[in-house]
Amino acid sequence: MKLYEIKVIKGTLLMAIVAMLFNSCLKDDDLMTADAKTGGLVESAPLVQLVPKKSHNVDIELKVYMGPAIQEVKVFKQFFHNATNEASNVELLGSFSVSGQNLNDTLLLSQTFTWEQLKQGLTLDSYTLPDDPLNADVGDYFILNYVSVLDDGREVASNSQTEVLVANSFAGYYLSSITYIHPNLGTREYQLTKELITESGNTCSTNFAVWGSYGETIYLTINPDNSISFNVLGFDYIVEEGDPNNPLVYSHYDPVTDIIYLNYNYMAPGGYRVFYEVLEPITKK
């Protein structure tokens, strides 16, 4: 199964779980340890990318819902190595202090974890986690699980989990500036924030053009000569490289600025729709 297929399945499962929890009015909101009482609902992002070229840290955000008082949320970690299909032992990564503040309000907490904190104490039979994430295999990942400690000491194991993915060097957040040329309606300009998600060592996926709400996805592969190959899925038309009216433009990656330049088009009733898209890396807080 491809990496992106795994992420889709996980995301779909998480959404289904969250919908079920809310529909039950939080009555059975988490998988609870023996004799733990109802409460302790927390939610995290299903995927966080660690891009070693850009940072050796990851920021983990945790939403703690209003309800019975939680004193802390423990974060447990486990590492998965794809090449040998191995999983490490499970260890405590850290904790979020809540101190009962969720009694009256929903909280959004954030904490930064370093690569050293993520890897510390984790071992596998035939693989050693490298000291530098730049030497880690793209596609390997940590899974973080959350356990809420209630005010009476009992614990609730959350359904929510976070995959911390060792990403390729192109992954991360970008400012997307799009020029959209329509044969009848003229030219329109758009600015969006997009995240490029790692699919392999040199391939990322993101929302296609100005769409994406219904699964329109473009897969970008950065070739050794910095040219870009792409494939668009979930879209009604066949998307081609370049601008039919200007054969000199082409999609490419600038290794000096890390800017990605995309030029593509598709034919629809009335003529070609042409796109010029510039993806400029940004730091998303």
Side-chain angles (χ1 to χ4, degrees):
M1 182 178 289
K2 294 183 180 178
L3 182 60
Y4 70 83
E5 293 173 333
I6 295 174
K7 291 200 283 288
V8 168
I9 291 172
K10 287 181 179 176
T12 302
L13 177 59
L14 177 61
M15 290 178 65
I17 290 172
V18 172
M20 178 184 69
L21 300 181
F22 278 96
N23 288 337
S24 62
C25 300
L26 310 186
K27 186 175 181 179
D28 296 311
D29 50 12
D30 282 292
L31 299 175
M32 292 179 283
T33 54
D35 81 351
K37 64 186 180 182
T38 301
L41 179 64
V42 300
E43 183 182 359
S44 64
L47 175 68
V48 174
Q49 296 190 97
L50 191 154
V51 187
K53 180 180 176 181
K54 300 175 183 178
S55 175
H56 291 187
N57 308 327
V58 290
D59 296 325
I60 303 299
E61 289 189 345
L62 193 68
K63 182 178 288 187
V64 181
Y65 286 93
M66 185 172 63
I70 297 173
Q71 290 304 308
E72 66 171 336
V73 179
K74 297 178 181 178
V75 185
F76 292 89
K77 61 185 179 180
Q78 187 174 23
F79 182 76
F80 295 82
H81 182 52
N82 290 320
T84 57
N85 197 29
E86 286 184 273
S88 75
N89 53 311
V90 176
E91 291 287 334
L92 180 68
L93 172 61
S95 65
F96 288 82
S97 177
V98 182
S99 302
Q101 296 180 68
N102 69 309
L103 266 173
N104 301 311
D105 200 4
T106 293
L107 307 176
L108 184 61
L109 307 176
S110 179
Q111 193 167 164
T112 299
F113 294 103
T114 66
W115 174 260
E116 179 61 31
Q117 289 174 306
L118 287 165
K119 69 181 280 292
Q120 187 175 13
L122 299 182
T123 59
L124 300 93
D125 290 338
S126 58
Y127 179 74
T128 300
L129 277 79
D131 292 333
D132 191 330
L134 284 167
N135 297 322
D137 290 353
V138 170
D140 284 355
Y141 59 98
F142 299 85
I143 290 293
L144 307 185
N145 287 289
Y146 306 93
V147 175
S148 301
V149 180
L150 305 182
D151 57 352
D152 61 2
R154 287 178 283 184
E155 298 186 346
V156 179
S158 175
N159 286 310
S160 188
Q161 64 177 205
T162 300
E163 176 185 332
V164 178
L165 176 66
V166 179
N168 64 35
S169 60
F170 310 109
Y173 289 94
Y174 288 76
L175 175 63
S176 168
S177 301
I178 298 176
T179 300
Y180 172 30
I181 305 171
H182 191 279
N184 302 318
L185 302 178
T187 300
R188 299 179 182 179
E189 305 285 344
Y190 299 88
Q191 280 202 332
L192 309 167
T193 298
K194 294 186 177 182
E195 183 180 13
L196 268 61
I197 304 294
T198 296
E199 302 295 343
S200 68
N202 63 340
T203 299
C204 289
S205 64
T206 192
N207 290 344
F208 170 59
V210 296
W211 296 283
S213 299
Y214 296 97
E216 301 91 346
T217 304
I218 184 169
Y219 294 86
L220 306 172
T221 298
I222 313 296
N223 300 312
D225 63 356
N226 294 321
S227 65
I228 296 176
S229 305
F230 61 80
N231 185 30
V232 177
L233 299 179
F235 193 63
D236 291 339
Y237 298 95
I238 297 175
V239 181
E240 302 284 355
E241 162 71 13
D243 179 351
N245 303 310
N246 185 354
L248 298 180
V249 301
Y250 62 97
S251 300
H252 64 283
Y253 166 72
D254 185 336
V256 176
T257 63
D258 288 328
I259 294 176
I260 295 172
Y261 297 89
L262 300 176
N263 304 109
Y264 48 87
N265 70 87
Y266 66 90
M267 170 63 80
Y272 286 104
R273 278 69 166 162
V274 179
F275 294 80
Y276 286 68
E277 180 171 10
V278 178
L279 295 168
E280 185 175 358
I282 59 176
T283 300
K284 185 175 177 64
K285 296 296 185 181

